[in-house]
Amino acid sequence: MTQNTPQNLAGRTLLMSGGSRGIGLAIALAAARRGANVALLAKTSEPHPKLDGTVHTAAAEVDAAGGRGLAVVGDVRNDDDVARAVEATVAAFGGIDIVVNNASAIDLSKTDAVDMKRFDLMQNINVRGTFLLSKLALPYLRESAAAGRNPHILTLSPPIASGPGGTLEPAWAGEHLAYTMAKYGMSMTTLGLAEELRGDGVGVNSLWPATLIDTAAIRALPGGEQMVQSARTPEIVADAAVEVLSRPGRECTGNFFTDEAVLADAGVEDLSAYSAGTGRLIPDIFL
């Protein structure tokens, strides 16, 4: 799909939180291959001893993929850093057409085991960071809509109603309450902004992988190296993301997509190329 999709993001500007590696970088590169400008707000200015990639190497990869990259070193938890990222993106590319809320922290500990610093980290990155980046980009997204540039906000968060009959599934709160609260907070941002911006023509959606994805965060978990043998590559989420971002935002809004469903709707039937290993695929959490 990546090689055959038209350049329907050409000239559009995407601002993403995170993106130095993993799913965020895959989305950035998929957008770049379709001609997008991609600004990345991330803390990783220097190489990590255990993880590949920095915000600078990611921006260089965007350039090499056919887009125009911009690296902004900063923390999505910091108001001034986020404001600076928005201003730098507008200064470099003339506006903002797409916001991708990718930055996220994970801790699957039970309630009595979770450290409150980790709780605060997840709330501040996942919920507050998503809200803040979306909030500060709103004036430019409205300008994009007025100019007919099809603006979108896409947040990497799960469906809230995943139980029988579209109800809230309590099992996920019981499994990892702190993390569930943080990810559902991101999804609440999608739910609320989709309604708030419906009259402005800004598409607001969430996207979640149907299966486990091979990322550094998963590999760092206990047993993670074995788990990713039953995962898919980040490119499946990236291809689904650019498909959503190519749809008319006035019509495509308020949805909680899975990557599988988006690609199936786009006519992609064989997903075997996305397999990261030889194991039986593991469904992702929250589904």
Side-chain angles (χ1 to χ4, degrees):
M1 180 177 176
T2 297
Q3 295 178 346
N4 298 326
T5 301
Q7 296 291 311
N8 46 24
L9 299 183
R12 293 170 69 193
T13 294
L14 184 157
L15 172 57
M16 177 187 295
S17 61
S20 297
R21 58 183 71 90
I23 292 173
L25 177 58
I27 294 173
L29 296 181
R33 285 189 287 267
R34 290 155 177 79
N37 309 313
V38 181
L40 303 168
L41 168 64
K43 295 191 303 176
T44 51
S45 60
E46 301 295 332
H48 190 281
K50 296 182 179 180
L51 301 174
D52 293 333
T54 69
V55 66
H56 302 294
T57 61
E61 288 188 57
V62 166
D63 289 339
R68 296 171 60 199
L70 174 68
V72 182
V73 178
D75 190 333
V76 75
R77 295 173 293 175
N78 184 292
D79 293 18
D80 292 339
D81 286 357
V82 177
R84 180 166 49 82
V86 169
E87 293 165 2
T89 303
V90 173
F93 303 123
I96 298 172
D97 304 301
I98 298 166
V99 169
V100 176
N101 292 301
N102 164 71
S104 185
I106 181 171
D107 188 323
L108 301 179
S109 299
K110 296 285 190 179
T111 300
D112 56 356
V114 70
D115 185 278
M116 288 310 294
K117 288 184 178 180
R118 291 292 298 176
F119 180 94
D120 292 342
L121 181 73
M122 289 189 288
Q123 288 291 325
N124 287 332
I125 293 177
N126 300 9
V127 185
R128 191 180 190 278
T130 294
F131 185 91
L132 178 62
L133 182 59
S134 302
K135 167 187 169 66
L136 296 187
L138 287 183
Y140 303 102
L141 294 173
R142 290 189 176 100
E143 288 181 6
S144 176
R149 295 177 59 82
N150 193 27
H152 280 263
I153 298 173
L154 184 65
T155 298
L156 300 185
S157 66
I160 299 174
S162 58
T167 59
L168 185 67
E169 175 53 71
W172 297 121
E175 284 293 324
H176 31 67
L177 178 57
Y179 182 60
T180 299
M181 291 170 68
K183 293 307 290 190
Y184 279 2
M186 297 173 73
S187 296
M188 284 296 295
T189 305
T190 292
L191 188 68
L193 283 180
E195 288 303 307
E196 188 174 337
L197 301 177
R198 194 174 295 275
D200 295 321
V202 180
V204 186
N205 299 285
S206 281
L207 177 64
W208 193 246
T211 68
L212 193 67
I213 301 295
D214 181 3
T215 65
I218 296 299
R219 288 179 180 268
L221 294 174
E225 291 293 338
Q226 182 61 36
M227 290 170 63
V228 297
Q229 293 302 311
S230 298
R232 286 178 173 146
T233 65
E235 281 68 31
I236 188 170
V237 185
D239 284 347
V242 294
E243 170 64 25
V244 172
L245 297 174
S246 301
R247 296 177 178 180
R250 289 187 179 275
E251 302 169 12
C252 179
T253 193
N255 300 290
F256 292 88
F257 293 114
T258 65
D259 51 4
E260 278 188 1
V262 170
L263 295 182
D265 190 54
V268 181
E269 299 178 356
D270 184 3
L271 303 179
S272 60
Y274 297 113
S275 294
T278 58
R280 183 176 180 178
L281 290 171
I282 298 175
D284 207 347
I285 58 176
F286 297 118
L287 299 178

